[in-house]
Amino acid sequence: MPPPLLLSAPLCELVHLVCLPPTPPTPHTTRSTQPQAMFMRCLCNIYAIFVQYLCDISMGTRYLFLTSSRAVNRHRRLLALYDKKPLLRKDVFVAPNASLIGDVSVGAGSTVWYSSVLRGDVNTIKVGEKSSIGDNCVVHVSSASHGAFGGAASTNIGNGVVVESGSILHGCELRDGSKVGSGSVVFDGAVLEEGAVLAPGSLLTANKRVPAGQLWGGRPASFMRELTPEEKSSLARSSQDEYERAKRHEDEHKLTAEDRAKRADQELYHKPDSPAGY
């Protein structure tokens, strides 16, 4: 909160001006006008003090509001819409600032990372088991009446699917073991078959299909090459890695502030065997 002196500097100047001693009479003034001038100066002084009081009250209220808004997080991870509400199976991790809205179902062991939004307002979103929706992803759907590419389009994500950060999925299908690279966009009716990969930054246009075991990329995306056996085996490991990493994040969020402070004192700062300041 700024100090009151900084807030009231213009008002102090005004008070200083209006509270100066009255000037001696001149040949053009009479003594009868001096009481009126002193009365007006008093009114201005009272007005300046009152305005300063209002400024102090306003800034104090604003400061209390800001501090309370930091302390209370009104964000809701799961939000029902109309008669539909999100459904989470066992062992699902949803980051504290992610949002699942409406007709959304997430299978066991899947993860929805930070700042991602799954909005099932006009159609359904289904996520299978042990799939990962990365940070800052947007998953949406199309309705029968407002489909951008003709007709309704739900979003279906299979088992063991990895969607990397910053991707947009809209009314598409990602089958088991497929992967969408960071910053990619997949539009209505597009399909990634089993074990298919979309390279980072790609745009898969509506109703396109990526065959199983192939790597596609570009804007618009097109065939690049077949995946190697090593790449295919790494796809299965990546979804498992995301699951295990999410478990560690979940454990961290369960800690209280006292637990974190105690651990910081004991483990993270000023270890006896470390140089000073490290």
Side-chain angles (χ1 to χ4, degrees), residues 17-251:
L17 291 176
V18 299
C19 294
L20 288 175
T23 56
T26 63
H28 301 286
T29 61
T30 63
R31 293 185 178 274
S32 61
T33 61
Q34 289 185 5
Q36 297 179 359
M38 294 179 64
F39 177 75
M40 292 303 298
R41 287 190 178 91
C42 290
L43 286 181
C44 291
N45 192 11
I46 295 172
Y47 176 77
I49 295 173
F50 178 72
V51 171
Q52 175 60 55
Y53 174 77
L54 293 181
C55 291
D56 292 340
I57 292 295
S58 175
M59 288 304 298
T61 304
R62 189 183 308 172
Y63 178 74
L64 291 176
F65 173 77
L66 290 175
T67 54
S68 63
S69 64
R70 294 190 189 103
V72 180
N73 184 3
R74 301 180 185 275
H75 175 75
R76 295 167 61 185
R77 287 187 282 185
L78 307 180
L79 178 63
L81 189 65
Y82 314 126
D83 59 339
K84 302 165 184 173
K85 60 181 180 180
L87 174 62
L88 304 184
R89 302 296 181 183
K90 182 181 178 182
D91 211 19
V92 172
F93 171 72
V94 178
N97 62 343
S99 299
L100 276 61
I101 305 167
D103 196 355
V104 179
S105 63
V106 182
S110 290
T111 60
V112 181
W113 290 98
Y114 301 93
S115 299
S116 289
V117 178
L118 281 68
R119 179 158 59 95
D121 50 358
V122 296
N123 215 318
T124 61
I125 297 174
K126 295 181 180 180
V127 181
E129 298 180 358
K130 285 197 175 180
S131 291
S132 173
I133 309 298
D135 306 278
N136 295 304
C137 289
V138 176
V139 183
H140 196 220
V141 291
S142 292
S143 66
S145 57
H146 296 90
F149 299 96
S154 61
T155 298
N156 297 289
I157 300 172
N159 301 326
V161 176
V162 175
V163 180
E164 294 183 341
S165 59
S167 297
I168 300 175
L169 309 178
H170 199 280
C172 57
E173 181 180 0
L174 310 180
R175 296 182 179 172
D176 297 351
S178 57
K179 182 177 181 180
V180 176
S182 300
S184 296
V185 181
V186 185
F187 273 124
D188 296 39
V191 177
L192 267 72
E193 295 185 353
E194 291 81 357
V197 176
L198 190 63
S202 298
L203 169 63
L204 190 61
T205 53
N207 302 316
K208 287 291 184 67
R209 180 180 295 267
V210 180
Q214 290 187 1
L215 172 65
W216 282 43
R219 303 178 74 88
S222 58
F223 172 75
M224 297 178 67
R225 60 178 174 83
E226 297 285 341
L227 294 174
T228 64
E230 293 77 11
E231 290 171 333
K232 292 179 181 179
S233 62
S234 68
L235 290 177
R237 292 197 305 271
S238 60
S239 62
Q240 181 64 27
D241 292 342
E242 292 293 330
Y243 169 75
E244 295 175 357
R245 188 176 298 113
K247 295 297 293 181
R248 295 194 293 271
H249 280 253
E250 182 70 25
D251 294 339

Side-chain angles (χ1 to χ4, degrees), residues 5-19:
L5 181 60
L6 296 180
L7 292 175
S8 59
L11 297 177
C12 290
E13 184 68 20
L14 176 62
V15 172
H16 176 71
L17 291 176
V18 299
C19 294

Side-chain angles (χ1 to χ4, degrees), residues 251-270:
D251 294 339
E252 180 71 18
H253 291 305
K254 290 179 181 178
L255 294 177
T256 64
E258 292 77 9
D259 294 335
R260 292 193 180 95
K262 182 177 179 181
R263 186 187 60 182
D265 292 338
Q266 293 178 351
E267 300 178 6
L268 299 183
Y269 301 111
H270 305 296

